[in-house]
């Protein structure tokens, strides 16, 4: 039985805990009831979150599908101009990520996520009517502004709902959506390209128009399906809302104050964990954006037709998504992050070596499956590793936004290294990025262990406490995840 009335669950509990008047240890949750609560949260929230991010990545990466369908030729774009169009998206994308992340709570998730979805949907539809490279540049820049806010917002939203040891699995849903968008994008592009010439409109234009309309529908689903306050979600009964309030209280150290704090922004910017994580994310995103955007072109280079290329991308994306779900599940169970990150990158290293050294197209196609393991596990597990080791909310919001800004500059690079088949420069650069990522992961492991050892010594009185920051993740009771 839960001894907590509804009014207290809604408002006073988090505030009281923040003042030190109530200890979260006073409240215990029945594990069976908590498991059922998590199942309900997953059933209602996960489809909405996955759908909106699938749409986002679909509208971003479909430029790879339309490339092999004749779009550059129709608008008179050279290879170099098209590569610039791929890269220019990230100029606005990285600029607006941190502001959107920090503003999420103030503007509320429903307004932010729905509004962004509506605008980028319209931009995608209008992309089907461009007639020149300048038009493509303009739509890609606008798309970057809108989509910049989605991933940080969704990621932060997950940290508002789930505990630290529950997050890798849920973050994996976002990256599985990325994989599904590649697979679904291949299927959808294959089907839509069969409309080539209908009403005198090229197939690639139909790809933009139809996928943009699909995203508008998605925005409507987000508006009605995503509660602003997860502790008061429409699909929870009174007892489950009380459980959510208790979970919030137990997670108070991680969530922190509801009030915006510039001090927490500065604290995040002074944290070495942020910059190590950002460096790792940059290396991992070289793979993510190069692979997800240019996989159709890579596979077409193996000697396949345009339509064959679209459906051959599907199993690669699905395999990468399944691998991430599996490793994320184990990562949460063991509350370990870096070992799985290092492990998944090994497959990517082998995959890119095969792409660079073998001549058999069948072996190269097999290599794309190995690359897919690192492509999705790398960015996702690294982001989770940052999520669980930064607190409270506004410090974490700043860190996530900045990490994504640093990481997503890789999209600019990806557009410049994947220019001409057989993409040796791109594969070689990706291989080098993976090796650097492995080194940075080891450095971050060392740093976190050093921080943990320092806390232990201070707790035992073996070292003077000279820390300038003593709250959030620097609290002596806060345990880092390796």
């Amino acid at each position: 039985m839960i001894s907590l009335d509804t009014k207290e669950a809604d408002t006073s509990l988090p505030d009281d805990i923040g003042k030190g008047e109530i200890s979260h240890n006073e409240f215990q949750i029945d594990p069976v009831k908590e498991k059922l609560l998590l199942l309900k949260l997953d059933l209602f929230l996960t489809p909405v979150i996955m759908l909106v991010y699938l749409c986002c990545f679909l509208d971003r990466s479909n430029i790879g599908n339309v490339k092999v369908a004749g779009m550059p030729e129709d608008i008179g774009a050279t290879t170099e101009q098209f590569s610039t169009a791929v890269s220019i998206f990230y100029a606005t994308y990285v600029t607006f990520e941190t502001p959107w992340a920090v503003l999420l709570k103030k503007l509320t998730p429903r307004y932010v996520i729905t509004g962004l979805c509506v605008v980028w949907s319209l931009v995608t539809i209008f992309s089907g009517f461009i007639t020149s490279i300048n038009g493509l540049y303009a739509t890609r820049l606008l798309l970057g502004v809108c989509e910049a806010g989605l991933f940080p917002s969704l990621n932060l939203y997950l940290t508002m709902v789930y505990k630290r040891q529950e997050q890798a699995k849920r973050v994996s849903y976002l990256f599985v959506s990325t994989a599904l968008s590649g697979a679904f994008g291949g299927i959808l592009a294959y089907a839509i390209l069969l409309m080539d010439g209908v009403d005198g409109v090229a197939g690639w234009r139909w790809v933009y128009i139809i996928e943009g309309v699909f995203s508008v529908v998605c925005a409507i689903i987000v508006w009605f399906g995503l509660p602003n306050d997860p502790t008061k979600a429409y699909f929870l009964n009174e007892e489950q809302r009380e459980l959510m309030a208790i979970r919030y209280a137990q997670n108070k150290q991680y969530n922190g104050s509801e009030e915006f704090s510039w001090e927490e922004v500065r604290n995040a910017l002074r944290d070495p964990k942020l910059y190590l994580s950002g460096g790792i994310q940059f290396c991992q995103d070289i793979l993510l954006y190069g692979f997800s955007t240019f996989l159709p072109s890579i596979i077409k280079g193996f000697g396949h037709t345009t339509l064959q290329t679209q459906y051959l991308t599907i199993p690669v994306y699905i395999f990468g998504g399944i691998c991430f779900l599996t490793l994320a599940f184990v990562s949460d169970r063991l509350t370990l992050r870096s070992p799985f990150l290092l492990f998944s990158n090994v497959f990517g290293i082998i995959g890119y070596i095969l792409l660079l050294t073998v001549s058999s197209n069948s072996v190269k196609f097999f290599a794309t499956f190995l690359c897919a393991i690192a492509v999705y596990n790398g960015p996702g597990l690294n982001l989770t590793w940052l999520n669980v080791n930064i607190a409270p909310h506004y410090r974490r919001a700043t860190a996530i936004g900045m990490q994504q800004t640093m990481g997503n500059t890789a999209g600019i690079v990806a557009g410049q290294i994947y220019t001409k088949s057989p993409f040796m420069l791109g594969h070689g650069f990706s291989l080098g990025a993976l090796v650097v990522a492995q080194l940075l992961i080891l450095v971050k492991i060392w740093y976190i262990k050093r921080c943990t050892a320092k806390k232990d010594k201070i707790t035992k009185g073996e070292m003077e406490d000279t820390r300038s920051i003593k709250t959030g993740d620097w609290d002596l009771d806060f345990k880092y995840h390796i």
Side-chain angles (χ1 to χ4, degrees), residues 269-286:
L269 296 177
R270 293 198 293 261
D271 193 338
K273 296 195 298 296
L274 164 60
Y275 299 101
L276 286 169
S277 182
I280 296 167
Q281 198 74 5
F282 174 83
C283 295
Q284 303 287 172
D285 280 351
I286 290 286

Side-chain angles (χ1 to χ4, degrees), residues 221-387:
I221 295 173
V222 171
W223 176 260
F224 290 103
L226 199 67
N228 268 332
D229 184 354
T231 65
K232 303 174 186 177
Y234 63 92
F235 53 81
L236 299 178
N237 59 38
E238 289 304 313
E239 183 181 46
Q240 289 169 334
R241 291 182 181 186
E242 292 176 2
L243 288 176
M244 285 293 289
I246 294 173
R247 281 166 55 85
Y248 185 93
Q250 292 173 335
N251 224 25
K252 183 65 179 179
Q253 182 188 49
Y254 182 60
N255 289 323
S257 172
E258 296 290 323
E259 297 298 322
F260 175 75
S261 168
W262 280 112
E263 182 61 28
E264 293 299 355
V265 172
R266 288 189 289 270
N267 288 341
L269 296 177
R270 293 198 293 261
D271 193 338
K273 296 195 298 296
L274 164 60
Y275 299 101
L276 286 169
S277 182
I280 296 167
Q281 198 74 5
F282 174 83
C283 295
Q284 303 287 172
D285 280 351
I286 290 286
L287 277 67
L288 179 64
Y289 294 124
F291 192 87
S292 60
T293 303
F294 293 99
L295 183 61
S297 298
I298 293 169
I299 292 179
K300 188 176 183 181
F302 299 160
H304 300 290
T305 66
T306 297
L307 293 181
Q308 287 174 332
T309 295
Q310 301 296 350
Y311 65 72
L312 284 174
T313 62
I314 297 168
V316 182
Y317 288 125
I318 291 177
F319 178 75
I322 291 173
C323 288
F324 188 19
L325 276 176
T326 303
L327 287 182
F329 177 81
V330 180
S331 174
D332 272 346
R333 280 297 181 92
L334 301 178
T335 61
L336 287 173
R337 314 301 175 184
S338 56
F340 297 99
L341 187 51
L342 290 165
F343 175 70
S344 61
N345 279 346
V346 171
F347 292 96
I349 290 171
I350 296 172
Y352 282 106
I353 288 174
L354 290 176
L355 286 173
L356 287 165
T357 59
V358 302
S359 57
S360 169
N361 286 331
S362 297
V363 175
K364 286 183 177 181
F365 184 58
F366 168 73
T368 63
F369 286 85
L370 297 180
C371 293
I373 299 174
V375 163
Y376 297 109
N377 276 284
L381 289 174
N382 183 52
L383 176 61
T384 303
W385 197 14
L386 180 72
N387 283 353

Side-chain angles (χ1 to χ4, degrees), residues 92-97 100 116 143-152:
T92 48
Y93 189 88
V94 301
T95 302
F96 286 90
E97 280 182 299
W100 282 125
L116 293 174
L143 200 64
V145 174
C146 303
E147 293 197 359
L150 186 69
F151 187 81

Side-chain angles (χ1 to χ4, degrees), residues 205-219:
R205 294 185 185 276
W206 283 118
V207 169
Y208 275 127
I209 294 168
I210 293 175
E211 291 184 0
V213 171
F214 178 72
S215 294
V216 172
V217 175
C218 174

Side-chain angles (χ1 to χ4, degrees), residues 86-135:
V86 172
S87 298
I88 204 172
F89 166 89
Y90 296 96
T92 48
Y93 189 88
V94 301
T95 302
F96 286 90
E97 280 182 299
T98 302
W100 282 125
V102 173
L103 288 171
L104 177 69
K105 269 196 175 183
K106 186 174 182 63
L107 300 181
T108 74
R110 179 181 290 157
Y111 282 104
V112 170
I113 297 172
T114 304
L116 293 174
C117 191
V118 168
V119 178
W120 91 59
S121 301
L122 295 175
V123 172
T124 302
I125 293 172
F126 294 149
S127 298
F129 298 91
I130 61 173
T131 57
S132 67
I133 187 61
N134 289 331

